[in-house]
Amino acid sequence: MAKFVRRPLPSLNPLPPPPSSSIAPTLARSMTILSKESGIEFKKENYSSRMAATQRPVSPHVTIYSFPISSLASITTRVTGITLSFGAAGLGLVEIVGGNGAALGLMETIGSGDVGGGLVVAGAKVAVAFPFVYHYLGGLRHLVWDNKPEMLTNLGVEKTSYILIGASVLLSGVALVV
């Protein structure tokens, strides 16, 4: 029969044991102790003034980080979806408040150029065409990825993001002349 010997487990505490005398120098790291007054003063200062006092930039990651094109394309897809939702809700609200045919009358007035001329007409066309085209093409891109997941690679996402942005700008530009 084997005989097992108990050995003490090693200490998991990386700090040395506390000194036996309170006069002995402390070997542990020093701690910052805030008095009640300094805590109140700390809360009064805002983040920017504390960073200025320490000569540190407020948010360096904002100035040095650039979003990948795939992130920008994803964010734009979400923003265009929200824009389309608010546009549809706005037209519905105009129809409810103005009565039957009010939304059609508003669109005819904007499209005729009576209000603001050609610049308003062009702006309205782009404001409707770009979100619609971008969100639609982004949805088609996701439909392809759902049915052919092998096409969903980092390089493929980057390429299709550029194609999505370019095609949306091009087709929105076509809407200006139609």
Side-chain angles (χ1 to χ4, degrees):
M1 187 172 200
K3 194 172 193 182
F4 294 100
V5 179
R6 283 194 168 206
R7 294 185 185 147
L9 292 173
S11 172
L12 298 176
N13 187 359
L15 298 176
S20 59
S21 168
S22 62
I23 300 174
T26 305
L27 298 175
R29 67 179 187 158
S30 62
M31 293 177 55
T32 303
I33 299 173
L34 294 175
S35 66
K36 187 174 183 179
E37 293 81 22
S38 64
I40 293 170
E41 198 61 36
F42 180 80
K43 287 181 181 178
K44 287 181 183 175
E45 292 181 22
N46 68 14
Y47 179 79
S48 297
S49 63
R50 288 196 309 267
M51 293 298 107
T54 58
Q55 303 288 319
R56 288 186 270 175
V58 175
S59 293
H61 69 280
V62 173
T63 58
I64 63 173
Y65 182 76
S66 63
F67 282 105
I69 189 68
S70 57
S71 297
L72 294 173
S74 176
I75 292 166
T76 306
T77 301
R78 288 171 169 81
V79 169
T80 55
I82 291 168
T83 303
L84 290 170
S85 297
F86 276 107
L91 276 178
L93 187 64
V94 167
E95 191 71 19
I96 290 170
V97 172
N100 193 17
L104 178 62
L106 175 65
M107 290 186 283
E108 285 176 345
T109 303
I110 292 172
S112 67
D114 293 341
V115 180
L119 189 60
V120 171
V121 173
K125 284 184 176 183
V126 170
V128 172
F130 182 78
F132 182 78
V133 169
Y134 191 92
H135 200 75
Y136 183 77
L137 293 177
L140 288 178
R141 178 173 78 154
H142 276 273
L143 185 64
V144 169
W145 287 342
D146 289 343
N147 291 314
K148 296 190 180 268
E150 65 273 5
M151 295 179 74
L152 185 58
T153 63
N154 288 342
L155 187 59
V157 170
E158 186 175 347
K159 283 181 181 180
T160 57
S161 294
Y162 283 114
I163 292 169
L164 174 62
I165 293 168
S168 298
V169 169
L170 180 71
L171 291 174
S172 299
V174 169
L176 284 175
V177 294
V178 174

